[in-house]
Amino acid sequence: MTSEAAHSPDRCGFIAVLGAPNAGKSTLVNRVVGTKVSIVSPKVQTTRARVMGIAVQDRTQLVFIDTPGIFEPRRRLDRAMVAAAWGGAGDADITLLLIDAERGIDRDTRAIIERMKDENKHAHLVLNKVDKIKKPALLELTTTLNNMGVFDEIFMISALKGDGVDDLVSFLAGHMPEGPWHFPEDQVSDMTERLLAAEITREKLYLQLRQELPYATTVETETWEDYDNGSVKIEQVIFVERDSQKSIILGKGGQQIKTIGADARKELEEILDRRVHLFLFVKVREKWGDDPDRYRDWGLDFDA
Ligand code: GDP
Ligand code: MG
């Protein structure tokens, strides 16, 4: 530690990560935190709630607010997710707008920028997935975005591979307000272990199931039992909307759910650093998307 760092005051602040679905927001937050706090899949709208991922650099605590993507909502759940995303920006000291550089300025991203303009909001632009795009195209996109008048700084990163992420984090650390840390120094997320465990299983569903089916599912941790030998027994329910969906998730001879359970258990054991006995059950609950209880668990506003 330099003598300057030793005398520097504590800093702590909130950084909202906004962007269209699939821009790589959760991938970025997991990388800066250094462990999985928010689930990731190639499917859009994987993140349903606002998740805080906490990173520390020297005497600065950086609290990243991962948000559900911002897009044109159709269902009630969509509306609640988009409201949570904008709410995340309202609470933050700094807002990052993440854009998939390969995808460029799509309709969702354009709508986000328009709303920022309307509300006179500023953000730093983070062009992600630069590993997938050639320099000239990247420069052209940067120029176009720069001319929109919404962005203060521009960063180019690959959240997946790590390029540019350290520079981004250093910049952010230097711009956090002075003040005491909001969380204990070893805390990485605001999520309970029960919720994280349910999210991990939901991620495996997103990775295993095709097309629209994941959106018809939700996962809840029903019981959590710590054993004296250090292992834990976790029982979870996967809710679906229809009987036909249930049989797809179970798969032939229960093969599909076996794979999902095995993948989830493996990752949970890594994250929790203990043996996990995971039991999955599938239940039909026709209208879980209209059930206020589901929203409360995620901290979403049912009436958004
Ligand atoms: P979110 O919806 O914005 O949270 O996006 P996710 O973090 O869930 O990522 C969506 C997909 O993009 C996943 O398949 C990620 O592996 C992928 N992804 C994220 N960042 C990068 C990146 O920098 N490069 C590449 N090639 N893929 C990325
Ligand atoms: Mg996400």
Side-chain angles (χ1 to χ4, degrees):
M1 192 187 278
T2 64
S3 59
E4 195 186 330
H7 295 292
S8 64
D10 286 346
R11 293 173 183 273
C12 179
F14 291 85
I15 300 137
V17 185
L18 298 193
N22 248 343
K25 300 176 293 296
S26 300
T27 305
L28 174 63
V29 171
N30 289 334
R31 175 169 284 279
V32 297
V33 173
T35 179
K36 172 102 124 243
V37 293
S38 196
I39 62 172
V40 170
S41 92
K43 291 196 165 62
V44 296
Q45 295 151 40
T46 305
T47 307
R48 280 190 184 154
R50 211 156 68 185
V51 178
M52 287 187 195
I54 305 158
V56 165
Q57 195 170 77
D58 299 326
R59 313 220 14 198
T60 304
Q61 187 170 55
L62 301 111
V63 186
F64 288 85
I65 306 171
D66 185 17
T67 64
I70 295 177
F71 56 99
E72 204 177 311
R74 274 172 299 176
R75 304 169 301 167
R76 181 189 278 275
L77 178 58
D78 297 345
R79 274 201 303 283
M81 295 194 307
V82 172
W86 283 113
D91 297 339
D93 298 292
I94 289 182
T95 298
L96 302 179
L97 178 61
L98 208 67
I99 295 182
D100 176 340
E102 190 193 35
R103 203 178 158 88
I105 309 168
D106 60 7
R107 230 176 53 162
D108 290 323
T109 297
R110 191 173 294 281
I112 298 171
I113 295 172
E114 287 306 320
R115 176 157 166 185
M116 289 185 138
K117 268 192 194 158
D118 288 347
E119 297 181 3
N120 236 332
K121 282 204 175 89
H122 271 241
H124 300 308
L125 174 65
V126 180
L127 287 166
N128 187 33
K129 309 197 189 182
V130 297
D131 55 290
K132 286 170 83 177
I133 179 176
K134 296 232 156 61
K135 267 268 158 59
L138 185 59
L139 291 179
E140 195 183 315
L141 179 64
T142 310
T143 309
T144 310
L145 285 160
N146 203 16
N147 289 337
M148 291 181 164
V150 174
F151 304 112
D152 298 325
E153 302 281 338
I154 299 181
F155 298 88
M156 297 177 194
I157 68 162
S158 169
L160 190 67
K161 310 219 147 121
D163 306 306
V165 174
D166 287 348
D167 286 345
L168 172 63
V169 174
S170 298
F171 171 86
L172 295 169
H175 288 79
M176 291 291 99
E178 279 179 26
W181 289 11
H182 287 283
F183 297 95
E185 64 172 301
D186 53 356
Q187 191 169 339
V188 293
S189 153
D190 66 334
M191 241 200 241
T192 61
E193 285 186 331
R194 290 174 79 106
L195 189 54
L196 179 65
E199 287 286 279
I200 296 293
T201 301
R202 198 163 63 79
E203 180 188 74
K204 305 313 168 204
L205 286 167
Y206 273 61
L207 294 174
Q208 286 278 331
L209 303 175
R210 279 184 224 189
Q211 292 164 1
E212 298 297 308
L213 188 49
Y215 303 108
T217 67
T218 194
V219 180
E220 279 175 25
T221 302
E222 301 259 297
T223 67
W224 182 290
E225 218 175 312
D226 295 306
Y227 290 132
D228 287 340
N229 66 8
S231 67
V232 56
K233 177 181 161 197
I234 303 171
E235 292 182 323
Q236 295 179 331
V237 179
I238 299 168
F239 290 105
V240 293
E241 290 165 342
R242 290 193 303 276
D243 244 339
S244 58
Q245 296 166 338
K246 180 171 168 173
S247 40
I248 297 175
I249 290 182
L250 294 174
K252 239 193 201 128
Q255 215 35 59
Q256 175 93 285
I257 190 139
K258 231 186 196 161
T259 308
I260 291 167
D263 289 353
R265 181 181 56 77
K266 192 159 162 268
E267 180 153 16
L268 273 172
E269 289 191 333
E270 278 167 28
I271 295 176
L272 299 172
D273 197 20
R274 54 206 284 208
R275 271 202 74 186
V276 172
H277 313 279
L278 178 65
F279 297 89
L280 298 180
F281 306 89
V282 186
K283 286 187 191 163
V284 180
R285 193 191 276 160
E286 236 173 79
K287 296 219 154 110
W288 66 258
D290 289 314
D291 180 351
D293 284 345
R294 306 286 79 69
Y295 291 66
R296 206 169 307 126
D297 286 352
W298 293 318
L300 292 175
D301 179 6
F302 183 68
D303 296 312

